Amino acid sequence: MGCLWAAFVRDLHLLRRDRGGLAILFIMPVALVLIVCLVQDNVLKSSGGGSVALVMLDEDGGLVSELLQTALKRSGAFRITRLEPGAGQNMEAIEGLVTAGRYQVGLYLPEQLSETLQRQALVQIRAVCSGLQPPAEHVLRLGYAFDPAVQGGLQAGFRGLLEQVSANASLRVQLEALHTVLPALLERHISQRLGDFYVRALADAPFDLPASDSLMPLLEAHPIRARKAFVMPSSVQHNVPAWSIFGIFFIVLPVSALLLQERSQGVSRRLVLAPASPLQLLLGRLLTFLLVALLQFVLMLGVGRFVLPRFGTDLFSAQGHLPAMFVIILCAALAACGFGLLLGAWSRTQQQATLTAAVTIVIAAALGGIMVPVYLMPAFMQPISLVSPLGWGLEAFQKLLLRGEPLAAAWPQLTALVSTGLICLLLAKKNLQRWSR
Amino acid sequence: MSRPLLQAEGLLKRYPGLDRPAVNDISLCLMQGEILGLLGPNGAGKTTTISMLSGLLRPDGGTVRINGREVLSHARSVRQMIGLVPQELALYPSLTLRENLLFLGRLYGLSGSRLQERLTACCGMTGLLEVLNRPVDQLSGGMKRRANLAAGILHEPVLLFLDEPTVGVDAQSRHLIFDHLRQLREQGLGMLYTTHYMEEVHHLCQRVVIIDEGRIVAQGAVAELLEQQGCQQLEELYLSLTGKALRD
């Protein structure tokens, strides 16, 4: 136990002296979380998850305009800039602004759009009610344009919104037309079929179809929220845990570097000759870096809680899972430290260890869904992602934070992380003996 | 000299891929309060021999006893009895000398006032008390060598392995180190001293063992060996036994 404590204290001193390395350990993950959260926050916005810049030239001002603005407002996805109709403002101007990338979406409502729509609907309904073929009217159009850089998901969503508004507007004007046409049609039908008596009766009490704007929708789509803890995934909710794990795995670098420095400086020979258990020495080092990992995570939580919201992102929410999150971080840190010790024990040079660590971590991060969600990967790669320890950590976090499951639900991932750490630790211990020769 | 501290008999070590053993039938004995010089050209088998003597390497044949205990079967207690002053600095450069020594002392089971006492005694003997709180990489070359020695004797070993402990050290520091070693010898510490500097062996060691190609080519008191071979200088004797051909 004394050796373990001695190794722990020694490594704290070594870390304290290596301020550059320590700064990287803490600044690198913070920078990653900050940058990636903000970048992805913006990506989410441009794919419909936030506030998309929309420029609108509304020369109509009628029913279609009213329906459209209500729909846009309700979606909450758009930051609308309205151009004042007038000299130089036309559909081409909208297209120019969008193509130049100043706005992601452009919208043009031509003059008298609603009036023309209402007129055409009346003509159409009259024709249909008279048993005539409706005249071939010119189809009216709403103009829209997308910034070429806008993702397909947003384009499809916005087109869907326009189609919904168009269908609503058409239905509304057709109902209004029917409302206008129906009483006269009924009177005519009654007089033809039942005679003057009823026509006179109708003249005393004319048929009136009350119009109402208060018709409620009969069917609507509704998100299923089976669990109380359900939280919409945001860039912060995904990236704070994801990049915390990434940062924690970078502990591999100093852990392996310390072992290799001990070997190159001849200290390892002295250590192997001492009556101390190699396992205790390794565990002492492990303890130091588990502490570092915990501090790293506290810092990342602080960034998610206090710094990122200042840049307009969502607030990171632990949703009462804070202790469970620390358990996950400890398991991930154990795997990372174990791998670092193994790498340090197996590598011949520091350069070899550094390169191997950096490449392995980045590949494991990519495979594990840290950078791109696993479900977006090609089908053949998705099973490969199951072997990434970073993916295990992320999956455990997602079970907690996004799916509202208890920590126990993440036992396969936690077991895998702890097992990896312990196996690496034992293999590293086995390799320690050969250093001294 | 009273009792044997180190006894090695018939040590044999083969490495895969080599046609001859790295160490072949080496037997030697080191008494309490004796400095035994271990000489040999590069690749002669000195490092392999020291590794087997200190229990770091399992021999393919032969036995090693330190203070009467078989090295491999009593590894833990034997390690408590031996100290190492390697050729490299073998200390953490970014830690202070105090932090280095406290860490090493704890590995050997020292703690509290006993550890502080030993730390003061070792640094006092090697003249390093004033630089205890200085990071090791800020010490001069001679101070680093002395710090290495202080680290090797901190836990009061009975046997000290010194592997070229004066490489790159100026004459003043070397003399100081020799004084410390003589002082330790007088206290009863046994030392196995390897070096390429013949005059160091001449000044320090009572006996020498010269090995070449894994075998002992000469062993005995320096004066006796010189007389037997009819040589004036140890270097002359050494070259006559190991040849002048360049080694690895």
mmCIF file of all heavy atoms in Angstrom, chain B residues 118-146:
data_model
loop_
_atom_site.group_PDB
_atom_site.id
_atom_site.type_symbol
_atom_site.label_atom_id
_atom_site.label_comp_id
_atom_site.label_asym_id
_atom_site.label_seq_id
_atom_site.Cartn_x
_atom_site.Cartn_y
_atom_site.Cartn_z
ATOM 1 N N ARG B 118 17.404 9.206 6.900
ATOM 2 C CA ARG B 118 18.226 8.611 5.853
ATOM 3 C C ARG B 118 18.482 9.607 4.731
ATOM 4 O O ARG B 118 19.584 9.670 4.180
ATOM 5 C CB ARG B 118 17.527 7.363 5.272
ATOM 6 C CG ARG B 118 17.573 6.147 6.140
ATOM 7 C CD ARG B 118 18.982 5.707 6.452
ATOM 8 N NE ARG B 118 19.769 5.437 5.244
ATOM 9 C CZ ARG B 118 21.089 5.501 5.166
ATOM 10 N NH1 ARG B 118 21.812 5.850 6.222
ATOM 11 N NH2 ARG B 118 21.712 5.235 4.042
ATOM 12 N N LEU B 119 17.445 10.376 4.420
ATOM 13 C CA LEU B 119 17.565 11.370 3.349
ATOM 14 C C LEU B 119 18.653 12.392 3.714
ATOM 15 O O LEU B 119 19.535 12.708 2.896
ATOM 16 C CB LEU B 119 16.202 12.057 3.179
ATOM 17 C CG LEU B 119 15.960 12.903 1.945
ATOM 18 C CD1 LEU B 119 14.512 12.762 1.517
ATOM 19 C CD2 LEU B 119 16.264 14.350 2.200
ATOM 20 N N THR B 120 18.617 12.843 4.945
ATOM 21 C CA THR B 120 19.601 13.824 5.403
ATOM 22 C C THR B 120 20.998 13.199 5.431
ATOM 23 O O THR B 120 21.975 13.822 4.987
ATOM 24 C CB THR B 120 19.220 14.328 6.818
ATOM 25 O OG1 THR B 120 17.858 14.720 6.800
ATOM 26 C CG2 THR B 120 20.079 15.497 7.244
ATOM 27 N N ALA B 121 21.081 11.961 5.903
ATOM 28 C CA ALA B 121 22.384 11.304 6.003
ATOM 29 C C ALA B 121 23.015 11.102 4.624
ATOM 30 O O ALA B 121 24.193 11.423 4.414
ATOM 31 C CB ALA B 121 22.218 9.955 6.705
ATOM 32 N N CYS B 122 22.218 10.596 3.671
ATOM 33 C CA CYS B 122 22.758 10.310 2.331
ATOM 34 C C CYS B 122 23.147 11.598 1.609
ATOM 35 O O CYS B 122 24.193 11.662 0.951
ATOM 36 C CB CYS B 122 21.731 9.545 1.502
ATOM 37 S SG CYS B 122 21.454 7.899 2.127
ATOM 38 N N CYS B 123 22.272 12.607 1.713
ATOM 39 C CA CYS B 123 22.577 13.865 1.020
ATOM 40 C C CYS B 123 23.717 14.599 1.726
ATOM 41 O O CYS B 123 24.501 15.302 1.069
ATOM 42 C CB CYS B 123 21.337 14.747 0.935
ATOM 43 S SG CYS B 123 20.119 14.046 -0.160
ATOM 44 N N GLY B 124 23.807 14.420 3.040
ATOM 45 C CA GLY B 124 24.915 15.027 3.768
ATOM 46 C C GLY B 124 26.229 14.406 3.330
ATOM 47 O O GLY B 124 27.202 15.094 3.031
ATOM 48 N N MET B 125 26.243 13.073 3.228
ATOM 49 C CA MET B 125 27.465 12.378 2.836
ATOM 50 C C MET B 125 27.902 12.749 1.420
ATOM 51 O O MET B 125 29.093 12.886 1.131
ATOM 52 C CB MET B 125 27.241 10.873 2.926
ATOM 53 C CG MET B 125 28.501 10.064 2.839
ATOM 54 S SD MET B 125 28.159 8.321 2.641
ATOM 55 C CE MET B 125 28.267 8.180 0.900
ATOM 56 N N THR B 126 26.926 12.928 0.519
ATOM 57 C CA THR B 126 27.270 13.229 -0.877
ATOM 58 C C THR B 126 27.291 14.730 -1.148
ATOM 59 O O THR B 126 27.437 15.148 -2.301
ATOM 60 C CB THR B 126 26.248 12.547 -1.829
ATOM 61 O OG1 THR B 126 24.921 12.849 -1.356
ATOM 62 C CG2 THR B 126 26.437 11.057 -1.861
ATOM 63 N N GLY B 127 27.133 15.537 -0.118
ATOM 64 C CA GLY B 127 27.228 16.988 -0.258
ATOM 65 C C GLY B 127 26.087 17.605 -1.047
ATOM 66 O O GLY B 127 26.284 18.558 -1.806
ATOM 67 N N LEU B 128 24.904 17.059 -0.866
ATOM 68 C CA LEU B 128 23.776 17.549 -1.673
ATOM 69 C C LEU B 128 22.665 18.194 -0.834
ATOM 70 O O LEU B 128 21.594 18.489 -1.359
ATOM 71 C CB LEU B 128 23.173 16.379 -2.476
ATOM 72 C CG LEU B 128 24.075 15.788 -3.562
ATOM 73 C CD1 LEU B 128 23.479 14.485 -4.093
ATOM 74 C CD2 LEU B 128 24.262 16.773 -4.706
ATOM 75 N N LEU B 129 22.942 18.404 0.448
ATOM 76 C CA LEU B 129 21.881 18.934 1.319
ATOM 77 C C LEU B 129 21.341 20.274 0.841
ATOM 78 O O LEU B 129 20.148 20.557 0.941
ATOM 79 C CB LEU B 129 22.411 19.077 2.750
ATOM 80 C CG LEU B 129 22.310 17.830 3.624
ATOM 81 C CD1 LEU B 129 22.940 18.070 4.988
ATOM 82 C CD2 LEU B 129 20.859 17.387 3.776
ATOM 83 N N GLU B 130 22.242 21.085 0.263
ATOM 84 C CA GLU B 130 21.798 22.427 -0.138
ATOM 85 C C GLU B 130 20.947 22.438 -1.393
ATOM 86 O O GLU B 130 20.302 23.432 -1.693
ATOM 87 C CB GLU B 130 23.033 23.324 -0.333
ATOM 88 C CG GLU B 130 23.652 23.702 1.001
ATOM 89 C CD GLU B 130 24.877 24.566 0.830
ATOM 90 O OE1 GLU B 130 25.164 24.985 -0.303
ATOM 91 O OE2 GLU B 130 25.547 24.797 1.829
ATOM 92 N N VAL B 131 21.005 21.334 -2.138
ATOM 93 C CA VAL B 131 20.239 21.327 -3.400
ATOM 94 C C VAL B 131 19.060 20.356 -3.333
ATOM 95 O O VAL B 131 18.497 19.993 -4.366
ATOM 96 C CB VAL B 131 21.152 20.966 -4.596
ATOM 97 C CG1 VAL B 131 22.174 22.047 -4.832
ATOM 98 C CG2 VAL B 131 21.817 19.613 -4.393
ATOM 99 N N LEU B 132 18.679 19.984 -2.132
ATOM 100 C CA LEU B 132 17.598 19.011 -1.968
ATOM 101 C C LEU B 132 16.304 19.448 -2.640
ATOM 102 O O LEU B 132 15.550 18.618 -3.166
ATOM 103 C CB LEU B 132 17.325 18.812 -0.474
ATOM 104 C CG LEU B 132 17.862 17.537 0.153
ATOM 105 C CD1 LEU B 132 17.584 17.526 1.635
ATOM 106 C CD2 LEU B 132 17.253 16.317 -0.501
ATOM 107 N N ASN B 133 16.037 20.744 -2.629
ATOM 108 C CA ASN B 133 14.758 21.216 -3.165
ATOM 109 C C ASN B 133 14.871 21.715 -4.599
ATOM 110 O O ASN B 133 13.974 22.386 -5.101
ATOM 111 C CB ASN B 133 14.186 22.313 -2.269
ATOM 112 C CG ASN B 133 13.821 21.769 -0.908
ATOM 113 O OD1 ASN B 133 13.274 20.663 -0.813
ATOM 114 N ND2 ASN B 133 14.161 22.493 0.140
ATOM 115 N N ARG B 134 15.970 21.364 -5.240
ATOM 116 C CA ARG B 134 16.144 21.797 -6.622
ATOM 117 C C ARG B 134 15.762 20.636 -7.559
ATOM 118 O O ARG B 134 16.092 19.479 -7.263
ATOM 119 C CB ARG B 134 17.611 22.168 -6.839
ATOM 120 C CG ARG B 134 17.760 23.339 -7.809
ATOM 121 C CD ARG B 134 19.179 23.577 -8.163
ATOM 122 N NE ARG B 134 19.907 24.344 -7.167
ATOM 123 C CZ ARG B 134 21.211 24.614 -7.282
ATOM 124 N NH1 ARG B 134 21.893 24.169 -8.322
ATOM 125 N NH2 ARG B 134 21.823 25.306 -6.367
ATOM 126 N N PRO B 135 15.064 20.935 -8.662
ATOM 127 C CA PRO B 135 14.776 19.839 -9.605
ATOM 128 C C PRO B 135 16.077 19.208 -10.091
ATOM 129 O O PRO B 135 17.066 19.911 -10.316
ATOM 130 C CB PRO B 135 14.047 20.540 -10.763
ATOM 131 C CG PRO B 135 13.486 21.776 -10.165
ATOM 132 C CD PRO B 135 14.449 22.204 -9.097
ATOM 133 N N VAL B 136 16.048 17.908 -10.270
ATOM 134 C CA VAL B 136 17.276 17.172 -10.602
ATOM 135 C C VAL B 136 17.884 17.668 -11.915
ATOM 136 O O VAL B 136 19.104 17.728 -12.059
ATOM 137 C CB VAL B 136 16.970 15.660 -10.652
ATOM 138 C CG1 VAL B 136 18.107 14.894 -11.277
ATOM 139 C CG2 VAL B 136 16.709 15.150 -9.244
ATOM 140 N N ASP B 137 17.019 18.058 -12.868
ATOM 141 C CA ASP B 137 17.593 18.499 -14.151
ATOM 142 C C ASP B 137 18.301 19.858 -14.050
ATOM 143 O O ASP B 137 18.926 20.311 -15.000
ATOM 144 C CB ASP B 137 16.544 18.496 -15.274
ATOM 145 C CG ASP B 137 15.344 19.371 -14.969
ATOM 146 O OD1 ASP B 137 15.343 20.026 -13.911
ATOM 147 O OD2 ASP B 137 14.396 19.371 -15.784
ATOM 148 N N GLN B 138 18.202 20.502 -12.883
ATOM 149 C CA GLN B 138 18.929 21.764 -12.701
ATOM 150 C C GLN B 138 20.249 21.559 -11.946
ATOM 151 O O GLN B 138 20.960 22.516 -11.654
ATOM 152 C CB GLN B 138 18.063 22.768 -11.935
ATOM 153 C CG GLN B 138 16.898 23.281 -12.775
ATOM 154 C CD GLN B 138 16.023 24.247 -11.999
ATOM 155 O OE1 GLN B 138 16.426 24.785 -10.977
ATOM 156 N NE2 GLN B 138 14.816 24.447 -12.498
ATOM 157 N N LEU B 139 20.560 20.300 -11.631
ATOM 158 C CA LEU B 139 21.815 20.020 -10.938
ATOM 159 C C LEU B 139 22.945 19.887 -11.963
ATOM 160 O O LEU B 139 22.705 19.546 -13.123
ATOM 161 C CB LEU B 139 21.697 18.719 -10.134
ATOM 162 C CG LEU B 139 20.589 18.642 -9.080
ATOM 163 C CD1 LEU B 139 20.641 17.289 -8.360
ATOM 164 C CD2 LEU B 139 20.735 19.765 -8.060
ATOM 165 N N SER B 140 24.179 20.137 -11.505
ATOM 166 C CA SER B 140 25.327 19.974 -12.406
ATOM 167 C C SER B 140 25.566 18.483 -12.634
ATOM 168 O O SER B 140 24.999 17.629 -11.918
ATOM 169 C CB SER B 140 26.560 20.604 -11.762
ATOM 170 O OG SER B 140 26.938 19.830 -10.632
ATOM 171 N N GLY B 141 26.415 18.175 -13.628
ATOM 172 C CA GLY B 141 26.697 16.772 -13.950
ATOM 173 C C GLY B 141 27.210 15.992 -12.744
ATOM 174 O O GLY B 141 26.766 14.876 -12.483
ATOM 175 N N GLY B 142 28.145 16.618 -12.004
ATOM 176 C CA GLY B 142 28.726 15.941 -10.834
ATOM 177 C C GLY B 142 27.682 15.735 -9.752
ATOM 178 O O GLY B 142 27.632 14.666 -9.114
ATOM 179 N N MET B 143 26.838 16.744 -9.546
ATOM 180 C CA MET B 143 25.770 16.621 -8.532
ATOM 181 C C MET B 143 24.807 15.499 -8.899
ATOM 182 O O MET B 143 24.348 14.746 -8.033
ATOM 183 C CB MET B 143 24.998 17.932 -8.419
ATOM 184 C CG MET B 143 25.714 19.029 -7.657
ATOM 185 S SD MET B 143 24.699 20.506 -7.700
ATOM 186 C CE MET B 143 25.666 21.599 -6.675
ATOM 187 N N LYS B 144 24.515 15.396 -10.197
ATOM 188 C CA LYS B 144 23.592 14.334 -10.632
ATOM 189 C C LYS B 144 24.169 12.967 -10.316
ATOM 190 O O LYS B 144 23.461 12.064 -9.862
ATOM 191 C CB LYS B 144 23.332 14.455 -12.143
ATOM 192 C CG LYS B 144 22.381 15.581 -12.509
ATOM 193 C CD LYS B 144 22.236 15.693 -14.010
ATOM 194 C CE LYS B 144 21.354 16.885 -14.366
ATOM 195 N NZ LYS B 144 21.382 17.208 -15.768
ATOM 196 N N ARG B 145 25.471 12.806 -10.551
ATOM 197 C CA ARG B 145 26.117 11.517 -10.270
ATOM 198 C C ARG B 145 26.051 11.208 -8.778
ATOM 199 O O ARG B 145 25.801 10.076 -8.372
ATOM 200 C CB ARG B 145 27.576 11.559 -10.718
ATOM 201 C CG ARG B 145 27.737 11.510 -12.202
ATOM 202 C CD ARG B 145 27.483 10.102 -12.704
ATOM 203 N NE ARG B 145 27.078 10.139 -14.098
ATOM 204 C CZ ARG B 145 26.430 9.161 -14.704
ATOM 205 N NH1 ARG B 145 26.076 8.095 -14.024
ATOM 206 N NH2 ARG B 145 26.118 9.253 -15.955
ATOM 207 N N ARG B 146 26.284 12.231 -7.984
ATOM 208 C CA ARG B 146 26.243 12.028 -6.527
ATOM 209 C C ARG B 146 24.809 11.762 -6.071
ATOM 210 O O ARG B 146 24.574 10.976 -5.150
ATOM 211 C CB ARG B 146 26.847 13.244 -5.819
ATOM 212 C CG ARG B 146 28.378 13.220 -5.867
ATOM 213 C CD ARG B 146 28.965 14.378 -5.124
ATOM 214 N NE ARG B 146 29.010 15.578 -5.939
ATOM 215 C CZ ARG B 146 28.822 16.805 -5.493
ATOM 216 N NH1 ARG B 146 28.542 17.006 -4.222
ATOM 217 N NH2 ARG B 146 28.909 17.841 -6.300
#
